[in-house]
């Protein structure tokens, strides 16, 4: 897949794939739990890969009896920041065991597009590392007491949206995949499996040209994939993130928050997840 180019005097090759994994031992795989406000509890799912500790952020409602369907949340290229953690908590409020995946390690968050491009590009360029990175986080979910590993879905934003689509292309472990303003062509072809796709795109997103949309639909149709594609009028890249407008102005990037598209796309996701994870 070819990524959007966020220009500030550099050509950004987004959505990379990364992080060479070493097999984690039981000693290295740990879960730290802390209580937060309301009925939501958070867990830190830790695993060590190539000497780096990756600390994915999980949340769930402990008052719900039994195991909960799992929803992975793959972040924008900025890393596992507060925006992603808030989405994880929102999903926990909906009754899911939600997990924000820490791609960079130590919950690293970057501040500039240059830093983001440097770290994310590895995952785009070395796809097998992206798969290994995600599988390590998935293994931690197996160990979590409240997770129902038989019912899993993935959602992702921007970089994470592209990675979510890739995980759906590569594995039939998931009931559904949701991409919010993510790139669509990643160099990995979809297989004819039972994974369902929901793609939520900004119609004014210059990082996802019409040609890419057409190629994606052709790919899905050829593989007989069950998918739904929605364009939101006047919505730019990163339309779900309230910080996107300020970030766009700061770095001269064509991104912006769109309240209507954010709310409508979230509702589409809720309906989709309720159906595929029932």
């Amino acid at each position: 897949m070819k990524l959007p180019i966020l220009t500030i005097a550099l050509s950004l090759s987004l959505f990379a794939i990364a992080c060479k994994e070493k097999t984690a031992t039981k000693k290295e795989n740990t879960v730290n739990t802390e209580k937060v406000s309301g009925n939501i509890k958070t867990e830190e799912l830790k695993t060590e890969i190539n000497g780096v500790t990756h600390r994915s952020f999980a949340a769930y409602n402990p008052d719900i009896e039994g195991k909960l369907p799992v929803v992975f949340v793959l972040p924008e290229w900025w890393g596992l920041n507060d925006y992603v953690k808030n989405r994880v908590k929102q999903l926990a409020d909906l009754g899911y065991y939600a997990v924000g995946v820490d791609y960079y390690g130590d919950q690293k968050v970057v501040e500039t597009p240059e830093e983001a491009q440097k770290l994310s590009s590895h995952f785009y360029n070395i796809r097998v590392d992206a798969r290994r990175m995600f599988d390590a986080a998935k293994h931690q979910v197996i160990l979590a007491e409240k997770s129902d590993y038989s019912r899993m879905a993935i959602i992702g934003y921007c970089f994470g949206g592209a990675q979510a689509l890739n995980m759906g292309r590569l594995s039939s472990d998931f009931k559904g995949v949701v991409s919010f303003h993510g790139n669509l062509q990643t160099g990995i072809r979809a297989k004819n499996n039972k994974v369902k796709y929901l793609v939520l795109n900004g119609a004014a997103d210059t990082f996802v040209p019409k040609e890419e949309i057409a190629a994606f639909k052709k790919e899905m149709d050829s593989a007989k994939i069950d998918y739904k594609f929605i364009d939101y009028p006047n919505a730019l890249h990163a339309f779900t993130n309230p910080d996107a407008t300020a970030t766009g102005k700061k770095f001269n990037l064509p991104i912006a928050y769109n309240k209507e598209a954010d709310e409508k796309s979230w509702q589409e996701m809720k309906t989709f997840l309720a159906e595929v994870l029932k």
Side-chain angles (χ1 to χ4, degrees):
M1 150 183 149
K2 199 172 181 177
L3 259 207
I5 295 178
L6 305 179
T7 58
I8 42 174
L10 66 90
S11 175
L12 303 178
S13 140
L14 307 174
F15 304 72
I17 299 177
C19 185
K20 292 188 177 177
E21 171 188 358
K22 75 173 184 181
T23 303
T25 67
K26 289 183 179 178
K27 203 169 188 180
E28 293 163 336
N29 296 324
T30 60
V31 176
N32 295 330
T33 306
E34 74 174 309
K35 184 75 177 173
V36 296
S37 59
N39 293 327
I40 302 304
K41 178 176 285 188
T42 65
E43 293 183 340
E44 191 175 271
L45 308 182
K46 294 169 57 175
T47 188
E48 190 169 313
I49 303 171
N50 285 350
V52 177
T53 301
H54 294 261
R55 297 158 45 217
S56 292
F57 178 82
Y60 65 96
N61 185 342
D63 295 336
I64 301 176
E65 294 184 3
K67 292 183 178 293
L68 306 175
V70 176
V71 179
F72 293 94
V73 185
L74 308 190
E76 297 176 297
W77 68 344
W78 306 110
L80 190 55
N81 56 16
D82 288 342
Y83 171 69
V84 181
K85 291 180 179 180
N86 287 334
R87 290 300 192 187
V88 169
K89 291 175 185 176
Q90 284 181 289
L91 286 159
D93 277 332
L94 296 176
Y96 299 111
Y97 185 88
V99 183
V101 177
D102 178 18
Y103 274 85
Y104 299 156
D106 292 320
Q107 292 192 8
K108 182 177 179 60
V109 174
V110 300
E111 301 295 333
T112 68
E114 292 93 338
E115 293 177 281
Q117 191 262 347
K118 180 180 179 179
L119 291 178
S120 67
S121 61
H122 176 85
F123 295 97
Y124 285 113
N125 299 332
I126 307 176
R127 301 183 189 105
V128 67
D129 279 358
R131 174 69 181 271
R132 289 171 178 165
M133 171 68 248
F134 182 78
D135 283 349
K138 194 166 66 170
H139 176 70
Q140 290 308 297
V141 172
I142 300 175
L143 304 178
E145 183 180 349
K146 290 292 288 184
S147 68
D148 181 353
Y149 192 67
S150 69
R151 292 185 292 164
M152 297 191 301
I154 317 172
I155 75 169
Y157 296 88
C158 300
F159 162 78
Q163 296 304 321
L165 290 174
N166 274 354
M167 294 307 105
R169 286 173 167 117
L170 290 167
S171 173
S172 59
D173 289 347
F174 310 101
K175 303 297 184 183
V177 173
V178 184
S179 171
F180 292 88
H181 42 79
N183 269 94
L184 308 175
Q185 296 298 295
T186 62
I188 295 177
R189 301 285 296 178
K191 298 178 181 179
N192 187 354
N193 57 35
K194 295 181 179 179
V195 180
K196 295 183 179 181
Y197 294 74
L198 174 62
V199 179
L200 306 165
N201 185 66
D205 188 343
T206 57
F207 299 139
V208 185
K210 288 183 173 58
E211 297 78 12
E212 186 170 324
I213 294 172
F216 174 78
K217 291 180 177 179
K218 183 178 180 181
E219 173 194 349
M220 295 291 108
D221 292 338
S222 297
K224 295 181 171 57
I225 299 294
D226 186 341
Y227 75 99
K228 183 176 183 180
F229 186 97
I230 300 176
D231 254 338
Y232 293 99
N234 305 314
L236 293 171
H237 194 68
F239 63 78
T240 63
N241 191 333
D243 295 329
T245 302
T247 300
K249 290 178 179 178
K250 181 178 181 179
F251 295 110
N252 191 29
L253 303 176
I255 63 177
Y257 179 64
N258 185 306
K259 186 174 186 294
E260 182 179 5
D262 176 26
E263 293 176 350
K264 286 185 175 180
S265 61
W266 185 257
Q267 186 58 51
E268 286 284 348
M269 179 216 68
K270 286 170 62 177
T271 301
F272 177 80
L273 291 180
E275 175 62 28
V276 299
L277 295 175
K278 63 184 177 182

